């Protein structure tokens, strides 16, 4: 069984496994979904390599990108999670990232998943800052970040392209009322 990181009313966020390849390929191979990605749409083989890297990130850092599973149909509809970056505009950062299947846009799933992951980052991992790096033209993604509490900080050079940096700093004590299940490993 693949470890569950968070659950919401409509979604399960869990670590990836190799069985997720076809569903994630449908997401990351879609030109609309990948419009603002520096890579563009990915092949089946490239998605397989991405899943391997997602698992390696979990092993190294104890957090990472999660498969977003739709509770009703059991389908992996994308990813959402936290990624560590050694240097973004002169400092190490942890980013919340999300990308969903085009068929599930406009239903609030991205905001729901991202809010759960940000809460996980603050309440479980004890982070004090989370950012989002978003192409300034990607207004949908910016709206998701703002909806979950991130605010514009600056535009920054992120490896040869300019991204909008939105951030959220955690100051108060966590307010989580229910316990969560958490495991730090990735099944292969």
């Amino acid at each position: 069984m693949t470890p569950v990181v968070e659950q919401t009313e409509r979604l399960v966020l869990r670590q990836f496994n190799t069985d997720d390849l076809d569903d994630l390929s449908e997401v990351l191979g879609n030109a609309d979904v990948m419009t603002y990605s520096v890579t563009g749409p990915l092949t089946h083989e490239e998605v397989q390599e991405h899943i391997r890297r997602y698992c390696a990130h979990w092993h190294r850092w104890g957090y990472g990108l999660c498969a977003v599973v739709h509770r009703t149909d059991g389908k992996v509809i994308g990813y959402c999670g936290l990624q560590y970056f050694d240097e973004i505009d002169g400092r190490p950062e942890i980013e919340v990232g999300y990308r969903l299947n085009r068929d599930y846009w406009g239903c609030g799933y991205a905001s729901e998943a991202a809010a759960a992951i940000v809460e996980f980052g603050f309440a479980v991992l004890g982070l004090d800052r989370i950012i989002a790096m978003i192409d300034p033209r990607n207004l949908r993604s910016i709206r998701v970040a703002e909806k979950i509490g991130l605010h514009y900080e600056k535009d920054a050079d992120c490896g040869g392209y300019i991204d909008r940096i939105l951030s959220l700093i955690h100051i108060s004590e966590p307010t989580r009322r229910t316990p969560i299940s958490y495991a730090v490993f990735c099944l292969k």
Side-chain angles (χ1 to χ4, degrees):
M1 182 174 164
T2 305
V4 172
V5 176
E6 277 286 358
Q7 297 185 56
T8 69
E9 184 177 325
R10 302 181 299 165
L11 304 171
V12 174
L13 293 103
R14 62 163 174 76
Q15 293 178 28
F16 276 98
N17 64 58
T18 54
D19 294 336
D20 300 327
L21 180 58
D22 290 340
D23 283 348
L24 192 60
S25 291
E26 186 179 326
V27 176
L28 300 183
N30 182 289
D32 287 339
V33 172
M34 301 299 281
T35 297
Y36 300 107
S37 169
V38 295
T39 64
L42 301 178
T43 67
H44 205 56
E45 293 74 26
E46 290 170 324
V47 174
Q48 187 172 25
E49 175 58 23
H50 276 250
I51 290 173
R52 188 200 64 74
R53 286 195 312 227
Y54 301 161
C55 290
H57 190 282
W58 271 98
H59 282 294
R60 180 166 185 196
W61 299 104
Y63 58 85
L65 295 179
C66 298
V68 178
V69 181
H70 190 264
R71 281 184 183 261
T72 302
D73 60 23
K75 182 178 181 73
V76 172
I77 64 169
Y79 70 69
C80 183
L82 299 170
Q83 286 187 274
Y84 176 82
F85 289 89
D86 287 326
E87 192 270 324
I88 298 296
D89 203 36
R91 65 184 284 179
E93 295 281 12
I94 297 172
E95 180 201 28
V96 59
Y98 37 88
R99 200 174 296 269
L100 295 183
N101 184 312
R102 176 70 179 94
D103 294 340
Y104 293 82
W105 288 5
C107 301
Y109 294 122
S111 299
E112 187 174 325
I117 287 297
V118 166
E119 182 177 349
F120 169 79
F122 290 143
V124 176
L125 300 177
L127 301 177
D128 59 5
R129 175 181 162 88
I130 294 174
I131 69 162
M133 298 179 291
I134 304 171
D135 185 304
R137 299 168 296 169
N138 190 347
L139 301 181
R140 285 179 173 267
S141 190
I142 289 170
R143 278 196 301 274
V144 168
E146 291 172 342
K147 189 183 256 187
I148 65 168
L150 280 76
H151 299 281
Y152 175 79
E153 183 174 304
K154 62 186 169 185
D155 288 347
D157 184 336
C158 296
Y161 56 95
I162 301 299
D163 265 352
R164 182 140 300 156
I165 305 292
L166 293 94
S167 64
L168 182 61
I169 298 172
H170 183 67
I171 299 170
S172 63
E173 291 295 315
T175 58
R176 182 171 195 90
R177 294 188 182 108
T178 58
I180 66 167
S181 302
Y182 174 65
V184 184
F185 63 92
C186 190
L187 300 179
K188 295 186 179 188

